[in-house]
Structures are given as structure tokens and as C-alpha cells.
Amino acid sequence: MLQATNVPGMHTYGPPLPQPNRFFQRGFGWVLGAVWLFYLGQPLNTILARPGGFAKWFSLGALALFALSYVLVFLWTRRMHLERRDPPLKAALGWLAATLLLGLAMIPGAGGDWMVGLVYIAASAIMVLPPRAAVPVVAAIAAQPLVLPMFIPSWQHENGLFFSIVLAAIAMFGVTRMIDHNMRLTDANREIARLAVAEERARAARDLHDILGHSLTVITIKAELAGRLLPVAPERAEAEVNDLEKLARQALADIRRTAFAYREVSLEEELASARSALSAAGIEAKLPRAVAEVPEPRGTLFSWAIREGVTNVVRHSGATRCVITVRPDQVEIADNGRGPAASGAGGSGLRGLRERAEACGAQLSVGRAEGSGFVLRVSVPA
């Protein structure tokens, strides 16, 4: 589907992309914080019931600023969580102190009903303070509806308000923990996705190395052989050049299949390819003419082992003879060449083969063959 764009000369294919909802991006936090302000209806009604005067309007302004302060604390804490940061302790204590002062400023008009604001202060303490600091602060706040009426007879004991403060603190604690867990879950999902991408890249790198390494090695050897045969045996050189064309086409097809993640190998094909590569390199090949059916994923693992082993024999061994043995539980590639390197460290091909073997629960062994030469063995437990 062709979609118009605002950029001259550019066309976009595909359905229109959904646009982000600005309400959920910006307004949702305000709504979520402000929805709990209806509890301030009790001190608001008390203030509005007073006759006009300084106390009434001063307390009404303090109430409005108190409500705004709570919403701002909520939004600030929400932003801190989204940014994976803890609220600074000094700023948190300063904000709580300012909110408390605004609550006390409601006393001239609201009287004892100002203590409803303690519910919001306790919830704010849970939001902005670490748990160890928030618990004693909430305990002190919750005690005020029980303690203050003892000293101010005109204020009624508020047992219900005590439980409201405790429940609000517990509820806000649950909300903050849920936010933290959701953020951790998001981080974990991102890490899983990153690891999946890394694993897929490693798989593609192994496949490309094994395919290109083997194919290019055989192509190089056959090209050298065709060059040597051209002056003395043009007909054989022509046959080798034809083989080169087939190998190049096959390598291109393998790369395309690998790019689309359905590259498959089989023991029979790898044995035939190994025979051709060893023959072109002038190495005597002793290979099984046929093999019993090997179950997957073992058969694929053995095929990659043969491909990697033969590539190393042709490239590095200097051998004149190579023996490949295939059993239902094991494959072995041995030569009579110069043997393993002194360091004993394998290249990227052996590392990739080791990763394949570990994924199948198999064991990769490399080292010196009996007498001389190099042996590569992959064994699968019965």
C-alpha cells in the first residue's frame, strides 16, 4: 500500500502508523494523581460553611495549594520511576515539609477536619521516601488523629482517620512496588530481546563462517588445480572450471538460505562434498560410502563437524590422507598431517562447532591423532 508523505520525492509503503495518544503520554499522570482528591471534600465543605473573611479565603487557598502539591509529588515520583531514579532524600523531605505546612495552613477555616490531609501526606511519604525512612514517618502521621484531640478539645478523635492513613500508606506501597516490578519486567523483557538478537547474530555468524569457509576453500583449490591443468590437460581444466561455477552457485544459494534461516545440511551431501574437496586438494580420502540414518539434531551436528573438519584438513594440515568415520553416536575426522597448533586454541570455526555441540548436549574433542596428524571428534552420549 502506497502512503502519501509530506517529504517531496519520498513514498512510504505500508499502513499508516498509529499516532501516540497525547492524553496517555501527558494527561494520564494528572488524572491518576487528582482522582484521589475527592477525599478533601470534608475540609472543603467545612471551609465553605464558614462566614466570609480572611480565615475562610486563606484556608481555601491553602487547600488548593495542598491539593496541587500532592498531585505534583505524584507526578514527580512517577517521573523518577520512569527514569529509573530514586527521589533525592533532601528534596523529598523538603516537599513533605511544604505539604505539611500547607495542611496546617487550613486550620483557621477547616479546624480539626484539616487532618484529612494527613492521608495524602502519608501516601506522599511512601512515594518519595525509602521504605526504612517511610515507615516511622507514616507511623508518626497516623498517630496524630489520636493524639492531637487530647490537647485540642474542640477536635474530635478520628479513629476512622487513623485506619484511613494506614490503609492509604499500604495501598500506595503496593502501587509503588507494582510500578517497580513492572519496570523490572520491562527491563527483563528488553534484556531477553537483546540476548535473542545476540544469539541470532552468533548463529548467523557460525553458519556464514562454516558455509563460506568450506565453499571458498574448495573453490580456491579447484581454481589452482584448473590453472595447473590448463597447459597440459585443457579438457580436465575445463571440467574443473565447470565445477567451480557449480560450487560458486551452490555457495550463493547456501548464503541465501542462511539469510532466510532455513539452511539445512545432510550427512550424505557433506560426505560427497568432502570427497570432492579432498580429491581436488590431492588428499587421499577414506570415507563411508553410505551411513545409517542419524536422528536430528545429531545428523545436522555431524554434518557441520564434517564440513569444519574437512575445511581444516584442506587448509592447514598439509596431510596426504584423511579418514572420516561416522557412527550413530560419533563422527571423527582424522588426518596424517602436521598435527594441532602448539597453542591448542581453535579458530572461529571450532568455536562455532563447540557451541553447536554444547547446544545438542554433545562433546567436541580435538587433538593429535595416533602417530601423527590431527583428529576432530564429536560424540553424543547414548
Side-chain angles (χ1 to χ4, degrees), residues 251-274:
L252 180 59
D254 286 345
I255 292 174
R256 286 173 176 168
R257 286 198 293 269
T258 301
F260 287 100
Y262 60 89
R263 164 65 178 159
E264 297 180 357
V265 293
S266 67
L267 278 172
E268 290 77 9
E269 292 178 359
E270 290 306 320
L271 288 172
S273 178

Side-chain angles (χ1 to χ4, degrees), residues 170-190:
I170 294 174
M172 188 55 66
F173 179 79
V175 170
T176 56
R177 296 286 76 76
M178 181 183 67
I179 293 174
D180 287 340
H181 287 314
N182 286 340
M183 300 306 294
R184 291 177 184 176
L185 181 60
T186 300
D187 291 341
N189 288 335
R190 289 175 179 170

Side-chain angles (χ1 to χ4, degrees), residues 73-274:
V73 168
F74 185 88
L75 294 176
W76 180 54
T77 308
R78 180 170 175 263
R79 189 185 68 183
M80 291 290 105
H81 282 290
L82 292 176
E83 294 176 356
R84 311 294 201 276
R85 292 191 295 155
D86 293 326
L89 184 58
K90 290 184 178 180
L93 292 175
W95 213 320
L96 287 176
T99 306
L100 177 60
L101 290 176
L102 290 172
L104 294 173
M106 292 188 285
I107 293 177
D113 287 341
W114 82 273
M115 288 188 292
V116 173
L118 295 174
V119 176
Y120 298 90
I121 298 174
S124 299
I126 292 294
M127 287 189 290
V128 301
L129 296 178
R132 290 184 179 180
V135 170
V137 171
V138 171
I141 293 173
Q144 299 311 306
L146 305 179
V147 174
L148 290 178
M150 296 180 183
F151 301 96
I152 306 176
S154 62
W155 293 1
Q156 298 179 354
H157 282 276
E158 296 285 354
N159 294 329
L161 186 57
F162 167 81
F163 290 107
S164 297
I165 292 173
V166 174
L167 291 177
I170 294 174
M172 188 55 66
F173 179 79
V175 170
T176 56
R177 296 286 76 76
M178 181 183 67
I179 293 174
D180 287 340
H181 287 314
N182 286 340
M183 300 306 294
R184 291 177 184 176
L185 181 60
T186 300
D187 291 341
N189 288 335
R190 289 175 179 170
E191 181 65 13
I192 290 172
R194 187 190 68 80
L195 292 175
V197 171
E199 176 61 24
E200 181 60 20
R201 286 175 177 171
R203 183 203 64 79
R206 288 195 304 265
D207 287 356
L208 288 174
H209 173 274
D210 295 343
I211 291 168
L212 286 179
H214 179 79
S215 299
L216 293 179
T217 297
V218 177
I219 288 173
T220 301
I221 291 172
K222 283 189 170 289
E224 293 174 351
L225 178 60
R228 293 196 301 267
L229 291 175
L230 190 59
V232 295
E235 296 81 4
R236 285 191 58 192
E238 182 180 0
E240 294 295 336
V241 170
N242 291 334
D243 285 347
L244 282 175
E245 181 182 359
K246 294 178 182 177
L247 284 169
R249 293 182 182 277
Q250 182 62 43
L252 180 59
D254 286 345
I255 292 174
R256 286 173 176 168
R257 286 198 293 269
T258 301
F260 287 100
Y262 60 89
R263 164 65 178 159
E264 297 180 357
V265 293
S266 67
L267 278 172
E268 290 77 9
E269 292 178 359
E270 290 306 320
L271 288 172
S273 178

